[in-house]
Amino acid sequence: MSRLSRRTVIRGALAAGGAGLAGAPSLAQELPLTPQCAEEGERTLAQTEGPFFRAGSPERPDLVEPGAKARIVELTGFVLTRGCNPVARAVVDLWHADERGAYDSKGFRYRGRVYTDEKGRYRVRTIQPALYRGRTRHYHVNVAAGGKLLLTTQLYFPDEPANRRDGLFRKELLMQVSKAGDAMAARFDFIVDLRL
Ligand code: FE
């Protein structure tokens, strides 16, 4: 799929996602049943795992801690092959800094994994992390399927002034976001190569 056509698809899905925030209980329900891809896509850009990954994160769709003061983010999307086939039962393992910019190095606060459904869709509810020294705002993600780690990368937020100062930032890894009050709907589709 060309960059242009993918962007068009995502924009359409986001419009539905924004409406979902106000009304429907689950943004994931607003995702189309099947992705609309025209061509073979580029694999999602890989990035360094960084020093804060911890193996063994709990499986859970909601990472929000009680009393969290940060903006709530509903992150959804597909895990797809380069040929645009959904990858079912893929693991999306997310970890990120908390609202003060700190990682939990002892437990699993703001660490968790979800599985894609039979249509390749994933959904996780978390917070917008704070920035920490030297970095713009970001999530860390590992994507695995069939027991194989397929992708390690990071996701970025649009319109962050620090994106311009962070040498790791890549615009290809920007999430598509729409804000609704204190919440944010974010969308990112991972394109992986199962032959890795
Ligand atoms: Fe980080």
Side-chain angles (χ1 to χ4, degrees):
M1 169 184 270
S2 72
R3 196 164 283 169
L4 184 65
S5 55
R6 179 171 300 283
R7 208 171 275 157
T8 306
V9 169
I10 289 170
R11 198 174 291 140
L14 256 186
L21 257 191
S26 167
L27 282 169
Q29 290 169 3
E30 304 293 336
L31 277 178
L33 282 176
T34 51
Q36 300 156 32
C37 313
E39 317 149 26
E40 190 148 286
E42 290 286 316
R43 240 188 334 198
T44 299
L45 193 67
Q47 291 213 296
T48 174
E49 189 173 74
F52 300 116
F53 174 71
R54 294 193 74 209
S57 66
E59 181 186 344
R60 52 180 176 174
D62 192 341
L63 307 187
V64 179
E65 293 286 325
K69 291 183 179 66
R71 185 190 293 275
I72 302 294
V73 178
E74 296 251 18
L75 172 61
T76 62
F78 289 96
V79 177
L80 304 168
T81 66
R82 291 185 59 215
C84 201
N85 292 311
V87 183
R89 293 292 293 168
V91 182
V92 177
D93 194 343
L94 183 77
W95 73 100
H96 62 82
D98 65 13
E99 62 258 69
R100 298 189 322 279
Y103 286 86
D104 183 1
S105 59
K106 297 188 174 68
F108 290 97
R109 287 176 67 246
Y110 298 113
R111 300 171 182 274
R113 60 178 66 199
V114 292
Y115 284 86
T116 57
D117 67 11
E118 74 283 1
K119 305 291 185 189
R121 296 172 297 192
Y122 74 91
R123 172 180 174 270
V124 60
R125 181 173 178 270
T126 189
I127 61 164
Q128 191 175 36
L131 282 72
Y132 58 89
R133 185 185 290 269
R135 295 303 317 276
T136 190
R137 205 184 299 276
H138 63 281
Y139 291 131
H140 293 269
V141 192
N142 278 337
V143 180
K148 263 197 306 191
L149 178 61
L150 299 174
L151 172 69
T152 297
T153 194
Q154 303 185 30
L155 303 181
Y156 298 96
F157 293 79
D159 304 322
E160 288 283 340
N163 286 349
R164 273 177 265 128
R165 300 191 293 271
D166 187 333
L168 282 175
F169 170 79
R170 292 290 179 276
K171 64 180 184 329
E172 298 93 320
L173 297 171
L174 279 171
M175 297 177 288
Q176 303 281 320
V177 307
S178 60
K179 292 177 187 163
D182 288 339
M184 175 186 282
R187 170 81 187 269
F188 194 88
D189 296 340
F190 299 100
I191 313 296
V192 297
D193 195 335
L194 296 177
R195 294 163 297 184
L196 272 186

